[in-house]
Every structure is written in C-alpha cells, then in structure tokens.
Amino acid sequence: MTHETAEPDVRIEPWTVADLSLLHEANTPAMTRHLGGPETDEQIAMRHRRYLDGEGAGQMFRVVLLPEGAAVGTTGFWETTWRGEQVYEAGWSVLPSYQGRGIATAAACAVIAAARAEGRRRTLHAFPSVANAASNAVCRKAGFALVGECEVEYPKGHLIRAHEWRVEPAAAPSGVGPLSAADRRWRAP
C-alpha cells in the first residue's frame, strides 16, 4: 500500500501589525529550544517592530496555508555579514499543530523566490542548530546545499553549533527589479 501526499499550498504574505500573535504562539519552550529559549514580552514586541520596520534589504512574512487562509507560521530573509561577505540569511517557524506537513519546506522555497526577486545578494544562507533535525531537513528539501558545521551567535551573546546551508537563488528575469512590500505575495512553487 502506498500513500501519496500532496505538497501543501502555501503563500507567504508581508508582515503586518496583526501578526504579533504569531510571535507569541511560537514563543514556547518547545518551539524555541534550538533558539535559546522563549523571549520576554518586551523582546517579542521589539522583534515585531523590527519586522514591521523592514530595515535594510529582506522581508519578513507570515506563512498562510491555503485554501483555509490560516496563518500558520513565519518566515523571512534579511541581510547579514557572513565571513566578511554581505549575504542573505533565512529563517522559518511553523506552529506545532501544522508541523510535519511540508509547510516549512514550501515556505522556505517561497523565501528563496522572494530573495531572488529582491536580487541584492548572491547567496542565501540558513544556520539551523546541528540538533534541529527538522530545520536541517527543510534546508535539504528546499534546495540548500550543506556547507558544513559552524558556530553562530544566537541569541546575541550565546554561541551555538549550527549547520551552514547555502543556496544561490537564480537571477531574476531580465527587467525584474526589487518589489515593493505591497507587491510581495509569493506562492510556493
């Protein structure tokens, strides 16, 4: 007997004021065990403001499961310096009741497409903890290549052992430049 599973239909939408609840829902010991543990309410409020302000290149998104339209997680990419080079870094989080369905992988693929459209950096990296099997699997399934183990600081002041994953998003089609936040609505391929 074989079981076929369809890829989830996922869309990522720009972060809004209404998305603060997603940060609170994901701020549990189980969801943050590879990220240094839960944040304080003040830290969550500051993160929310940073996501809304959209400083620099990159974008934060809510992950929407279709056709229901339920917001089930977060994802995004941002500029960072890695080994002396300006690169994009990506991250994602899917609420526990929606995990194990391929949603994070679909969202990661959509973030690769969004980074491609932004087009300011040649590479997109992800740095999941070596102990985070699920996020490392997302990287592999989404097309990132494993570079190796490294040490990264997250949260600030706390070093973790991570896997460095990297993808070089294909160039955007000729004539397509960075999109405004209002125009960014990506569906997973």
Side-chain angles (χ1 to χ4, degrees):
M1 173 184 264
T2 62
H3 297 290
E4 291 186 35
T5 58
E7 292 293 319
D9 194 5
V10 169
R11 181 175 62 225
I12 59 174
E13 298 176 349
W15 197 259
T16 69
V17 171
D19 295 322
L20 176 61
S21 63
L22 281 171
L23 293 179
H24 284 290
E25 287 182 72
N27 192 40
T28 67
M31 289 285 295
T32 61
R33 73 175 176 260
H34 300 292
L35 302 172
E39 295 179 303
T40 66
D41 286 344
E42 182 180 339
Q43 289 169 316
I44 291 289
M46 288 171 46
R47 176 183 299 280
H48 182 58
R49 281 193 298 275
R50 283 193 314 270
Y51 289 1
L52 289 171
D53 291 345
E55 298 170 4
Q59 175 78 39
M60 289 306 297
F61 302 93
R62 72 178 157 269
V63 178
V64 177
L65 182 61
L66 301 172
E68 300 89 7
V72 299
T74 65
T75 191
F77 68 102
W78 52 92
E79 284 185 317
T80 192
T81 302
W82 179 245
R83 298 190 172 157
E85 180 184 355
Q86 285 294 115
V87 301
Y88 286 140
E89 182 177 347
W92 46 83
S93 176
V94 173
L95 298 175
S97 60
Y98 294 94
Q99 292 176 1
R101 302 183 193 182
I103 293 169
T105 301
C109 290
V111 162
I112 292 169
R116 177 184 313 122
E118 185 90 11
R120 294 184 186 178
R121 299 290 167 226
R122 188 174 58 83
T123 59
L124 176 67
H125 296 252
F127 299 98
S129 164
V130 295
N132 189 340
S135 277
N136 282 287
V138 167
C139 289
R140 182 178 38 78
K141 292 174 187 175
F144 286 83
L146 179 60
V147 176
E149 285 191 22
C150 62
E151 208 168 61
V152 295
E153 185 178 21
Y154 194 88
K156 194 166 183 74
H158 182 256
L159 293 177
I160 63 168
R161 201 80 193 133
H163 281 133
E164 176 188 358
W165 293 87
R166 174 181 158 154
V167 66
E168 294 183 16
S174 170
V176 175
L179 301 175
S180 71
D183 293 332
R184 294 182 186 150
R185 285 197 177 354
W186 301 97
R187 286 187 90 141

